[in-house]
Amino acid sequence: MGSSRSSLRRVPDGQQLLQETGFSAAVLLRLHQRFQFLDKDSRGHLRSEDLEAELSENPMGDRIVGAFFQPGQETVDFPSFVRVLAHFRPTEKNRTRGGEQPEPANSRNRKLKFAFQLYDRDRDGKISRTELLQQVLREMLGLQVTEEQLQSIAERAIQEADLDRDHAICFDEFRKSLEKVNIDHKMSVRFLE
């Protein structure tokens, strides 16, 4: 443990990231090594191309890669890289936070907000039928179903979740539709200690 903490000095914003993300020093060091591996030109930042190869087999890979970059941003530094990955850290049972502490990135609510943003491609605060159909269902289901089946799935999903009947899903509707889903299980990566 002591050697991990002392090695953490080489990690940009290491101490702050420990506090902010809840990752252990050992995991932060491993993530930093992975970041350096992906940063083949040693630029100190990653471009979308650096991450795309890692997720090429994932039907949501381009969306996940996009989550690392704010609109107009072409690179991501190590601290930002880790902050995005913190959404995938398993939730700690029995962890409480004081009133002054911000909600952790791996809380159920923050995981849901992160997932919602993956679907809300135009960032207007709603998932439209078009976004659901064109950018999610087609990517995930591809050629496995007909166009009519895709249309039907999209329509049914919107109808079930759209409580205010505006033909789109806002975050609260998205959250309510996933109340019974174990989001921690679905959105967690076990980072080895």
Side-chain angles (χ1 to χ4, degrees):
M1 167 97 162
S3 65
S4 291
R5 288 222 181 251
S6 63
S7 299
L8 197 59
R9 289 187 206 123
R10 296 184 309 230
V11 175
D13 299 334
Q15 290 299 322
Q16 180 182 347
L17 290 170
L18 275 177
Q19 296 296 314
E20 200 175 311
T21 65
F23 284 126
S24 68
V27 169
L28 269 180
L29 286 169
R30 202 163 9 272
L31 290 174
H32 190 250
Q33 289 170 344
R34 188 67 183 164
F35 182 89
Q36 289 176 316
F37 172 79
L38 293 170
D39 181 14
K40 303 219 184 302
D41 299 329
S42 299
R43 297 175 309 266
H45 59 264
L46 301 176
R47 296 169 305 191
S48 60
E49 306 87 67
D50 298 323
L51 296 169
E52 286 168 354
E54 293 290 306
L55 295 165
S56 63
E57 298 296 315
N58 187 322
M60 295 283 289
D62 66 325
R63 275 176 206 286
I64 295 169
V65 168
F68 284 90
F69 302 91
Q70 297 297 318
Q73 181 185 20
E74 295 183 13
T75 63
V76 63
D77 62 6
F78 178 72
S80 299
F81 175 77
V82 171
R83 287 181 184 108
V84 170
L85 290 176
H87 290 96
F88 297 96
R89 192 172 63 79
T91 304
E92 294 173 9
K93 308 295 183 236
N94 305 325
R95 183 177 180 190
T96 59
R97 63 183 173 103
E100 301 295 315
Q101 291 180 310
E103 183 177 29
N106 68 328
S107 70
R108 177 178 176 77
N109 195 53
R110 294 274 304 271
K111 285 180 185 237
L112 286 171
K113 284 181 181 176
F114 183 84
F116 181 81
Q117 290 171 349
L118 292 178
Y119 296 106
D120 180 18
R121 295 297 284 190
D122 63 7
R123 299 179 189 257
D124 67 350
K126 297 205 173 246
I127 301 169
S128 68
R129 183 179 182 278
T130 302
E131 286 172 314
L132 187 61
L133 181 62
Q134 292 180 345
Q135 300 183 9
V136 177
L137 294 175
R138 281 195 183 107
E139 288 176 9
M140 292 178 72
L141 300 175
L143 301 174
Q144 298 173 19
V145 295
T146 66
E147 184 64 25
E148 293 78 31
Q149 289 171 317
L150 283 174
Q151 298 272 352
S152 177
I153 292 168
E155 193 60 42
R156 192 172 26 230
I158 294 288
Q159 284 177 354
E160 287 179 16
D162 182 21
L163 301 176
D164 64 5
R165 302 293 176 228
D166 65 349
H167 306 288
I169 303 169
C170 68
F171 175 70
D172 284 335
E173 292 167 334
F174 182 79
R175 183 177 43 78
K176 286 177 184 159
S177 72
L178 294 172
E179 281 179 339
K180 294 181 179 150
V181 173
N182 182 348
I183 199 73
D184 188 51
H185 176 71
K186 301 276 185 204
M187 281 190 65
S188 289
V189 174
R190 302 289 172 208
F191 297 95
L192 300 175
E193 289 295 327

